[in-house]
Amino acid sequence: MRVSVVRFALALLLILLMAACLHGEYTLIAKSRYVSIYGSSRTAESTLQLRQDLDAGIDEIQMQTGVYLDGGPDIYIVADDQGYDQLTQTHDEIVEFSDAFYNSAQRRVWVRPLESLKGNYIKVLLHEYTHWYLDQLFTGATLWFHEGMACLFANQLSLESYVNFTRDCFFGQRADLFRMGYSYPESPAQWQSYYLSSLFAVNYLMENYPEGWKNFWFITASAHKAGQKTPFVPAFNYSFGTTLYDFNHEYQAYLKQKAWKYLFIGINSLIFALLPFVLFFGYLRRRKRMKQLPDLPLPQDVELEPPQEDS
């Protein structure tokens, strides 16, 4: 017991020392109404344009929920990938393979160099901002709600994601939201499916419980105006008329139905996509057969004798 306590204390001390060292390498390079962005001497000058796009995305988030917060997390852009990898070694495995992460204790977002994010840095930062945003509004919010809202607001859904999600659901690889409400899947192979399941769970609530969704955020806004955080579980149960356990069973049945639906749509889409090629192949085959037909003799003109007159 004492050994585990000592290890925890040493790990915490290491994190604090690393944060202190890293903080000394960074300077404030941009500040907006919502965020402060810190970078090093190697941070690209284009980072200065982040605040406008980021502020616009944050405005959209707050308009959708109806809960308005000033301020936000400090964003630290790490100088290089190696520095980011060293920073994440003391965190969970899922953080080590990420492009950015939010540290609730520090109220900071740590992000890879922007050139490593392949143009998706606004989505990545909006994802991490959403974690900070929900952290200010709720106590006891589930991980799937956090990740689902973050993926929704960052618009992190692609056609490839739909295909992979449909495949996983069809073969029964659906994330158990209740069992993993407060912990990530252990296997890296399940991480993408977990994120997508979380996103679809939030979409399911919005589409199938529109009044409950409004009530949920009305409760949250009222608590925020009173200077309080909203207990997530009681607000969820009251707004949607169900429990997290029962919702998980309802959602699992929905995912099974959705998998068959997407499979049907996918097969039909594939058929329609291949139809022009099938027609073109049929045309070429018909043309080839026509060329293989023997040439028929040309018809000869037959001279008709004039009719003889009766004598």
Side-chain angles (χ1 to χ4, degrees):
M1 183 70 177
R2 294 184 60 184
V3 175
S4 61
V5 172
V6 171
R7 289 180 178 177
F8 175 78
L10 290 175
L12 181 61
L13 179 62
L14 179 61
I15 294 174
L16 293 176
L17 289 175
M18 290 180 64
C21 295
L22 287 169
H23 182 72
E25 299 176 1
Y26 294 87
T27 57
L28 180 66
I29 59 175
K31 187 175 180 63
S32 71
R33 175 183 176 185
Y34 298 113
V35 298
S36 298
I37 302 175
Y38 293 84
S40 67
S41 57
R42 285 183 284 178
T43 301
E45 294 182 1
S46 59
T47 304
L48 297 175
Q49 303 175 3
L50 273 176
R51 54 185 178 185
Q52 293 183 350
D53 296 334
L54 192 55
D55 281 2
I58 293 174
D59 284 334
E60 182 65 23
I61 291 174
Q62 299 193 8
M63 284 190 292
Q64 288 190 39
T65 62
V67 186
Y68 298 89
L69 276 69
D70 288 331
D74 293 333
I75 297 175
Y76 283 77
I77 302 176
V78 183
D80 50 48
D81 289 325
Q82 182 179 1
Y84 183 85
D85 293 338
Q86 292 177 352
L87 183 65
T88 60
Q89 288 178 358
T90 56
H91 294 74
D92 294 334
E93 188 178 7
I94 193 172
V95 174
E96 295 181 27
F97 292 91
S98 66
D99 291 324
F101 69 94
Y102 168 65
N103 188 308
S104 58
Q106 298 176 332
R107 292 167 57 91
R108 292 176 185 171
V109 171
W110 297 93
V111 60
R112 289 185 184 273
L114 301 188
E115 57 270 17
S116 300
L117 302 184
K118 300 178 181 179
N120 294 323
Y121 50 86
I122 292 296
K123 291 185 177 182
V124 171
L125 293 179
L126 286 176
H127 183 110
E128 301 307 327
Y129 169 85
T130 302
H131 287 309
W132 174 87
Y133 180 73
L134 298 177
D135 207 26
Q136 312 311 305
L137 298 178
F138 298 102
T139 59
T142 60
L143 276 178
W144 65 259
F145 185 77
H146 260 273
E147 297 299 350
M149 293 294 293
C151 291
L152 175 69
F153 287 147
N155 193 25
Q156 292 175 306
L157 188 62
S158 62
L159 179 60
E160 181 183 0
S161 300
Y162 270 110
V163 173
N164 293 335
F165 181 72
T166 303
R167 178 200 60 199
D168 293 342
C169 288
F170 185 75
F171 289 103
Q173 300 177 9
R174 296 183 291 273
D176 189 328
L177 298 182
F178 184 77
R179 184 170 60 88
M180 293 183 289
Y182 296 96
S183 62
Y184 290 102
E186 296 180 359
S187 172
Q190 296 178 332
W191 289 345
Q192 184 182 36
S193 180
Y194 180 79
Y195 280 110
L196 293 174
S197 293
S198 302
L199 171 59
F200 281 116
V202 171
N203 274 327
Y204 181 82
L205 287 172
M206 295 173 59
E207 294 175 1
N208 293 273
Y209 296 91
E211 291 301 321
W213 187 257
K214 292 179 182 178
N215 291 335
F216 178 79
W217 287 107
F218 177 79
I219 293 172
T220 305
S222 300
H224 175 66
K225 290 179 181 178
Q228 301 174 354
K229 291 186 178 182
T230 301
F232 178 81
V233 175
F236 182 94
N237 295 346
Y238 176 81
S239 300
F240 302 108
T242 186
T243 63
L244 292 174
Y245 180 79
D246 291 335
F247 173 71
N248 180 58
H249 283 285
E250 178 184 347
Y251 181 59
Q252 293 298 320
Y254 164 76
L255 286 184
K256 187 176 182 180
Q257 179 183 6
K258 197 176 188 71
W260 283 103
K261 178 181 177 182
Y262 279 155
L263 182 64
F264 176 78
I265 294 175
I267 292 175
N268 281 274
S269 300
L270 181 62
I271 292 175
F272 280 107
L274 295 177
L275 186 59
F277 298 98
V278 173
L279 294 175
F280 182 70
F281 177 76
Y283 166 76
L284 293 179
R285 188 174 182 183
R286 182 174 180 272
R287 185 179 178 183
K288 182 178 180 181
R289 286 184 176 180
M290 291 291 292
K291 288 184 177 180
Q292 292 175 349
L293 292 176
D295 294 332
L296 297 177
L298 295 176
Q300 297 180 357
D301 295 334
V302 179
E303 295 182 1
L304 298 177
E305 296 181 358
Q308 297 180 359
E309 296 182 357
D310 296 337
S311 57

